[in-house]
Amino acid sequence: IRLGERKTLRGDETRQTGMVRLAFVGAGQMAEALAKGFIAKKVVPSSHINAFDISDARRRVFREELKATVHDSNDSAVASSDVAILAVKPQYLSATAQTVTPASWENKLVLSIAAGVTIDTLKSLLPASARVVRIMPNTPCLVGESASAIATSEEATSEDEELVRRLFATVGTTISVDEGLIDAVTGLSGSGPAYIFLMIEALSDGGVRSGLPRGVATKLAAQTVMGAAKMVLETGKHPGELKDMVTSPAGTTIAGIAALEEHGARAAFIDAVTKATQRSKELSKL
């Protein structure tokens, strides 16, 4: 990723190559998926990725599989980078941030993927010179199909936001939102994969009940969900219009839809998103 001569970058190597240096504070599965995306799409080479994790196994993955530079502390990893990605569980974020000295955080672009941790909370843990961006990805990041929402602090520049979008575009789709909408994003796309997994499981159960082998039923259900989602994204048509294209008068599909409506499927999905959104708001106040 080309950043030119921005003053926030430090180190002769960065200025000469124009390549940003990244630090992963926490090297779990989500961090691994992000790093693999950055490397595979050639936006950040493995030689520019630094990482630390308290787990020997996770450090080994970054060292041996990703060929990244693994450090013996978070402080060392952050000090060696221009951008730091906080990839630890929310309950550990505050303590983890304090393992990095204020000097190492100075002038850094700090990205957080910790659910429920607000920009104000993040800023309270960092020096005033740090620029904070909050990102809400989801687990399909692990297969390069994440839906990631980005919210920036006032200190973050338009170049910072563009950098974040380019990074996270390597593992899926990105969209910028006001931070006030992040809880709704969490309720919809953050928690959404679990709703869809439940739906796929239920569709598969229906297939098995109707006589299909389990493996066949699950494969058909998953492919149907993926294909339907692709039609929504690629055609730009309203989901209701696409539904009507499948629904013939007095046919099989309308019989199935009537059953779903009878059992309140639509209301259940709406309520799932609103309840998850509310819980996200509660967690951010803890």
Side-chain angles (χ1 to χ4, degrees):
I1 295 177
R2 301 290 167 181
L3 295 181
E5 296 293 325
R6 288 178 55 208
K7 293 181 181 179
T8 53
L9 299 184
R10 297 185 298 176
D12 292 338
E13 181 182 357
T14 303
R15 283 188 283 270
Q16 289 170 3
T17 65
M19 282 298 230
V20 69
R21 300 168 301 172
L22 288 172
F24 282 97
V25 178
Q29 287 191 329
M30 191 70 81
E32 179 186 350
L34 290 171
K36 284 181 175 178
F38 302 161
I39 295 167
K41 297 297 175 64
K42 302 185 187 308
V43 294
V44 182
S46 57
S47 61
H48 282 59
I49 294 177
N50 302 279
F52 176 74
D53 194 280
I54 59 173
S55 165
D56 289 340
R58 298 310 306 168
R59 292 198 301 271
R60 188 162 52 251
V61 167
F62 268 70
R63 181 186 300 110
E64 298 178 3
E65 295 184 22
L66 302 182
K67 309 302 181 187
T69 302
V70 174
H71 294 254
D72 57 6
S73 69
N74 287 317
D75 186 65
S76 175
V78 172
S80 301
S81 304
D82 310 298
V83 178
I85 300 179
L86 291 167
V88 296
K89 294 184 183 301
Q91 61 268 35
Y92 304 134
L93 190 142
S94 178
T96 300
Q98 293 175 45
T99 65
V100 179
T101 62
S104 295
W105 284 127
E106 287 288 347
N107 299 311
K108 293 295 191 297
L109 174 59
V110 181
L111 317 181
S112 171
I113 61 173
V117 182
T118 66
I119 287 175
D120 282 345
T121 296
L122 292 164
K123 287 169 65 174
S124 73
L125 300 171
L126 303 168
S129 65
R131 289 116 51 224
V132 174
V133 177
R134 186 178 171 191
I135 304 106
M136 185 67 223
N138 58 12
T139 55
C141 171
L142 301 175
V143 292
E145 293 293 346
S146 180
S148 299
I150 298 167
T152 61
S153 65
E154 293 179 356
E155 296 77 12
T157 66
S158 58
E159 290 85 359
D160 291 334
E161 183 175 1
E162 177 59 25
L163 169 60
V164 175
R165 290 179 70 92
R166 290 185 64 189
L167 286 170
F168 280 79
T170 66
V171 291
T173 297
T174 66
I175 185 167
S176 294
V177 299
D178 291 334
E179 190 188 15
L181 295 175
I182 285 287
D183 292 313
V185 169
T186 301
L188 176 57
S189 58
S191 300
Y195 314 153
I196 304 304
F197 296 145
L198 181 65
M199 182 175 67
I200 291 171
E201 182 183 31
L203 288 170
S204 178
D205 285 345
V208 171
R209 188 177 183 186
S210 300
L212 293 174
R214 172 63 71 184
V216 171
T218 300
K219 187 170 185 178
L220 287 173
Q223 179 64 38
T224 298
V225 168
M226 185 170 71
K230 195 169 184 179
M231 287 184 71
V232 172
L233 293 172
E234 294 190 1
T235 66
K237 293 182 178 179
H238 190 282
E241 182 181 354
L242 293 172
K243 177 205 69 178
D244 289 346
M245 288 169 57
V246 189
T247 308
S248 303
T252 60
T253 303
I254 193 62
I257 288 175
L260 290 171
E261 296 288 9
E262 181 181 353
H263 290 284
R266 183 190 302 268
F269 278 112
I270 293 172
D271 199 35
V273 174
T274 55
K275 289 289 176 57
T277 298
Q278 182 58 41
R279 183 55 178 159
S280 179
K281 290 178 180 179
E282 293 170 357
L283 290 173
S284 68
K285 296 175 182 177
L286 294 180

